[in-house]
């Protein structure tokens, strides 16, 4: 996975934040996007630890540890390192239906569970998720919104739809017997 010495050769980098006064004027992302070379270097930092706690998704003493949706992070970081953006997106889609926005709102408990974090700053995972969904999907044209089925035809009836569940039982209801 990644580059065996990547965690030694490359430092952890995060994207630069846009200034707050600039951000309040629009709804764009508040991080500048990292260039592909830097993203691949961050993917190279994944060290094939052999015990990837980053994708286990468990609660330990009430705190989140690892990816709660069990993303296959080491395999996916390897694909990012090799620049295989479509394959990285396909790997993300195996466990995550919507990486385009979950990567943006996730608090990244996987980074706190990274084994590398014991001796060095952990692997930068969250930015690679957003980048692979953007580069592998939107920019490459393989991730377009597609309707799953044709929309249902509306009825002209003014009768409200019947409830699909029975009314709650009350204790005053007479017993049948």
């Amino acid at each position: 996975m990644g580059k065996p010495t990547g965690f030694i050769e490359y430092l952890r980098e995060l994207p630069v934040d846009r200034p707050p006064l600039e951000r309040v004027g629009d709804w764009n992302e508040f991080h500048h996007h990292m260039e592909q070379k830097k993203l691949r270097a961050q993917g190279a930092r994944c060290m094939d630890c052999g015990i990837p706690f980053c994708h286990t998704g468990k609660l330990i003493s009430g705190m989140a540890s690892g990816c709660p949706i069990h993303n296959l992070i080491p395999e996916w970081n390897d694909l990012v390192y090799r620049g295989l953006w479509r394959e990285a997106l396909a790997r993300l889609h195996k466990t995550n239906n919507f990486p385009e926005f979950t990567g943006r709102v996730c608090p990244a408990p996987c980074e706190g569970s990274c084994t590398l974090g014991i001796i060095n700053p952990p692997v930068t995972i969250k930015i690679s998720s957003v980048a692979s969904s953007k580069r592998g999907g939107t920019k490459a044209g393989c991730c377009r919104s597609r309707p799953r089925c044709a929309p249902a035809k509306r009825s002209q009836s003014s009768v409200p739809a019947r409830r699909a569940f029975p009314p709650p039982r009350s204790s005053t209801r007479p017993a049948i017997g």
Side-chain angles (χ1 to χ4, degrees):
M1 299 295 149
K3 187 174 184 180
T5 58
F7 68 96
I8 298 169
E9 294 176 30
Y10 305 112
L11 296 174
R12 176 183 165 102
E13 287 189 57
L14 295 171
V16 178
D17 290 343
R18 291 174 53 209
L21 291 175
E22 180 185 318
R23 294 191 310 226
V24 297
D26 58 34
W27 292 97
N28 296 335
E29 294 188 47
F30 59 91
H31 297 297
H32 289 291
H33 295 290
M34 290 180 79
E35 60 188 48
Q36 185 173 348
K37 183 179 178 182
K38 287 184 177 185
L39 289 169
R40 290 181 65 186
Q42 293 307 302
R45 292 189 73 236
C46 190
M47 62 182 202
D48 191 15
C49 60
I51 313 167
F53 295 109
C54 56
H55 69 262
T56 55
K58 298 196 182 249
L59 284 177
I60 300 173
S61 299
M63 295 180 291
S65 171
C67 182
I69 57 175
H70 305 285
N71 279 333
L72 305 168
I73 295 167
E75 293 89 353
W76 164 67
N77 266 330
D78 181 50
L79 293 167
V80 168
Y81 165 63
R82 293 190 285 149
L84 302 172
W85 298 104
R86 282 184 167 210
E87 290 82 356
L89 180 62
R91 180 67 58 157
L92 271 175
H93 277 149
K94 287 184 183 232
T95 54
N96 185 352
N97 291 334
F98 307 106
E100 302 83 25
F101 62 86
T102 55
R104 289 174 170 87
V105 298
C106 179
C110 53
E111 291 181 8
S113 303
C114 178
T115 306
L116 180 59
I118 297 170
I119 56 171
N120 276 331
V123 173
T124 308
I125 299 169
K126 184 175 177 173
I127 60 162
S128 299
S129 161
V130 174
S132 62
S133 64
K134 201 166 189 64
R135 289 186 188 279
T138 315
K139 285 188 178 177
C142 67
C143 190
R144 292 184 215 116
S145 72
R146 294 172 286 203
R148 299 266 182 217
C149 59
K153 290 184 179 180
R154 287 189 63 94
S155 162
Q156 298 302 320
S157 173
S158 62
V159 178
R162 186 170 172 234
R163 291 193 313 206
F165 52 90
R169 291 189 152 204
S170 66
S171 58
T172 58
R173 189 175 193 180
I176 300 174

